[in-house]
Amino acid sequence: VTSEVRSAAVIGLGLIGGSLARDLAARGVEVCGYDRNPDDLRAAVDAGIVSQPLDPTFSGIGDVDVVVLAVPVDGAPDLLARVGAATSDATLITDVGSTKGRIVAQATALGLGERFVGAHPLAGDHRSGWGASRCGLFTDARVYLCPTDATRADLVRFADRFWQGVGGRPCVLRAEDHDRKLAWTSHLPHVVAATLAAALAGAGVSREELGPGGRDMTRLAGSSPEMWTAIAQDNAVAIDAALAAAEGELSRFRAALAADDRNALSARFATARTWFDR
Ligand code: NAD
């Protein structure tokens, strides 16, 4: 982490926030933190990662250089208001949420637009909680940065150096473009994995019965329901457009099967293979 960062506050010490806190502490940054789960907050303090636990008002947050919100996306807007009130104009406020439109709009509405830079690191996996957090999670990870229309240019550069400091590869993207893109690259695969798992559950098929392909396809079904419900609601319009396309593909498969149309079936698999080979 750049020498500009001496202190940071991480709110939400789960997989993403906990991993970030570990990386920051390992680089000599003084980390204060908060999690509404008291066991995880205590574990982070006992591990020597969080040096100062915060209370829910964040009154002890002081003059930290950066605050990172790392909670499910439906909880972040409320926390943003409290963080804004507890910190000074010098503090960069950022987050790690998987959707960006709502939090960027909220930062603007709260008058925090000048010092907010939304962030989304493409890192992590289906596990959750402090127990799953680890050092090095962000190494080589793409990190989308979504400033508001009012973010100060020096704070966008600061956010860029901050994420580079924990190994990330930041790039700036408008929040609306981020959400449309992620509907395809992340949210559609998660919803399809959840749909597949639900269909298998309905048919009484357990995951142990699956071969390697089926296991690959259903890994994302193990993701946190709390986190994914919030993402789905937040990006509903863009996810629906992607799901409509997937539904169309499923219909074409079903029609080809019903008609016993070998050419049509082969064309569906060939389209998939061409995409894969590219
Ligand atoms: P997680 O469930 O592992 O951690 C979330 C933590 O936030 C938990 O410890 C929970 O107790 C705490 N929390 C929830 N609401 C809170 C509140 N109001 N106040 C204080 N603490 C609260 O989830 P995660 O995987 O670390 O995800 C955190 C954020 O990162 C989410 O917004 C998610 O969209 C985003 N994200 C996740 C991944 C991933 O692969 N898991 C990847 C990139 C971004």
Side-chain angles (χ1 to χ4, degrees):
V1 168
T2 154
S3 57
E4 295 160 291
V5 186
R6 289 150 296 147
S7 58
V10 181
I11 315 295
L13 293 161
L15 171 66
I16 302 292
S19 298
L20 185 61
R22 287 178 187 278
D23 278 344
L24 292 170
R27 288 160 173 79
V29 176
E30 189 162 328
V31 181
C32 58
Y34 174 71
D35 197 290
R36 72 174 175 195
N37 176 340
D39 293 338
D40 282 353
L41 180 55
R42 200 169 317 112
V45 172
D46 290 348
I49 302 298
V50 166
S51 57
Q52 188 200 348
L54 296 167
D55 66 41
T57 66
F58 308 136
S59 56
I61 207 165
D63 247 349
V64 287
D65 298 311
V66 49
V67 178
V68 185
L69 303 176
V71 301
V73 292
D74 55 349
D78 172 50
L79 292 176
L80 187 58
R82 281 191 269 155
V83 163
T87 52
S88 78
D89 285 350
T91 303
L92 167 70
I93 306 176
T94 184
D95 79 324
V96 299
S98 304
T99 54
K100 297 270 61 89
R102 184 145 79 113
I103 191 81
V104 164
Q106 181 76 3
T108 305
L110 289 167
L112 299 170
E114 284 192 16
R115 56 194 181 103
F116 183 81
V117 181
H120 178 200
L122 301 191
D125 54 46
H126 60 279
R127 292 171 303 163
S128 53
W130 166 260
S133 70
R134 55 193 181 272
C135 271
L137 187 70
F138 307 104
T139 303
D140 288 332
R142 167 63 69 213
V143 181
Y144 290 118
L145 297 182
C146 302
T148 73
D149 288 338
T151 310
R152 282 167 24 209
D154 62 308
L155 286 184
V156 179
R157 290 193 294 271
F158 180 29
D160 186 281
R161 291 191 296 275
F162 174 76
W163 283 103
Q164 279 192 49
V166 290
R169 293 185 295 114
C171 78
V172 173
L173 192 64
R174 287 191 64 78
E176 310 82 75
D177 294 337
H178 169 277
D179 288 358
R180 266 195 299 272
K181 186 185 184 72
L182 271 289
W184 287 97
T185 59
S186 170
H187 309 165
L188 176 64
H190 270 85
V191 174
V192 169
T195 304
L196 179 55
L200 290 167
V205 179
S206 73
R207 195 152 186 260
E208 286 69 44
E209 292 176 76
L210 301 179
R215 281 172 173 259
D216 274 0
M217 281 292 297
T218 51
R219 181 179 66 81
L220 297 179
S223 300
S224 155
E226 185 196 8
M227 181 180 125
W228 277 97
T229 302
I231 293 170
Q233 284 199 297
D234 219 19
N235 204 21
V237 173
I239 294 173
D240 187 58
L243 275 177
E247 224 170 45
E249 289 300 330
L250 273 179
S251 304
R252 281 187 275 281
F253 259 110
R254 289 190 68 193
L257 286 172
D260 194 21
D261 185 340
R262 187 186 167 84
N263 288 342
L265 271 176
S266 166
R268 301 324 311 143
F269 285 114
T271 301
R273 174 68 173 267
T274 303
W275 171 83
F276 181 85
D277 285 343
R278 241 180 240 152

